[in-house]
């Protein structure tokens, strides 16, 4: 038996954050947000699998729509690792980064490289004011390091 990584979020708190983001509260939005809180870095398919029992009649398309609305409203952050479908998480606005295992796809959050956004300076900003920097560290997770011989 395994314990879930985090306690299930209070649906009332979820409803409040949906409202605070300027969106209408619907059963599917609450379910999608709940699924993301218990399992961060989920793809739309992962979310669909966790909500379909609670939401009979929902579709992957509907889940995509909810995720797009959440991302636009800043409630959810979309993350696009190379070679994987887009992933979504509730941890927003902290400019955190990601460690991605190139073998099994495991993902870990990494806090800002120097503590505040943007935590990296481009070698040439071309006149831009840089607001945020997103870094993906690709590598092998601890588990894969044991089983996959290094390439090269
Ligand atoms: Zn791995
Ligand atoms: Zn993350």
């Amino acid at each position: 038996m395994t314990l879930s990584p985090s306690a299930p979020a209070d649906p009332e708190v979820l409803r409040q954050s949906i409202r605070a983001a300027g969106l209408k509260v619907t059963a599917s939005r609450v379910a999608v947000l709940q699924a993301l809180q218990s399992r961060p870095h989920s793809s739309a398919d992962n979310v669909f699998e966790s909500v379909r029992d609670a939401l009979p009649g929902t579709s992957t398309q509907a889940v995509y729509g909810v995720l797009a609305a959440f991302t636009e409203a800043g409630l959810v952050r979309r993350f696009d690792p190379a070679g994987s479908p887009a992933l979504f998480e509730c941890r927003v606005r902290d400019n955190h980064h990601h460690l991605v295992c190139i073998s099994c796809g495991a993902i870990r959050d990494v806090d800002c490289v120097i503590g505040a956004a943007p935590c990296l300076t481009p070698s040439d900003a071309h006149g831009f004011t840089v607001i945020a920097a997103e870094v993906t560290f690709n590598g092998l997770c601890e588990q894969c390091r044991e089983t996959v011989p290094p390439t090269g």
Side-chain angles (χ1 to χ4, degrees):
M1 232 180 98
T2 49
L3 288 168
S4 66
S6 58
D10 181 351
E12 186 46 41
V13 174
L14 298 176
R15 281 194 282 271
Q16 275 169 15
S17 37
I18 293 170
R19 243 179 265 125
L23 296 170
K24 240 178 75 187
V25 177
T26 65
S28 45
R29 284 177 176 164
V30 174
V32 166
L33 197 56
Q34 189 146 36
L36 280 183
Q37 293 223 318
S38 53
R39 197 173 153 192
H41 310 124
S42 287
S43 68
D45 285 342
N46 298 149
V47 173
F48 173 66
E49 270 158 43
S50 12
V51 302
R52 68 174 163 196
D53 288 341
L55 298 169
T58 195
S59 62
T60 351
Q61 235 13 67
V63 168
Y64 271 107
V66 171
L67 289 169
F70 281 174
T71 307
E72 187 148 336
L75 196 57
V76 151
R77 172 166 159 188
R78 183 192 160 123
F79 163 54
D80 287 282
S84 143
L87 304 177
F88 300 86
E89 63 183 325
C90 297
R91 197 177 154 184
V92 292
R93 282 189 276 270
D94 65 351
N95 197 62
H96 76 268
H97 309 296
H98 293 107
L99 273 161
V100 179
C101 176
I102 55 170
S103 174
C104 72
I107 293 174
R108 294 284 173 275
D109 281 340
V110 184
D111 287 343
C112 239
V113 178
I114 56 158
C119 58
L120 290 172
T121 318
S123 54
D124 182 353
H126 295 278
F128 280 50
T129 299
V130 179
I131 298 161
E134 242 182 85
V135 185
T136 303
F137 301 96
N138 294 306
L140 284 172
C141 73
E142 218 169 348
Q143 237 167 1
C144 292
R145 220 177 41 202
E146 317 264 292
T147 50
V148 181
T151 48

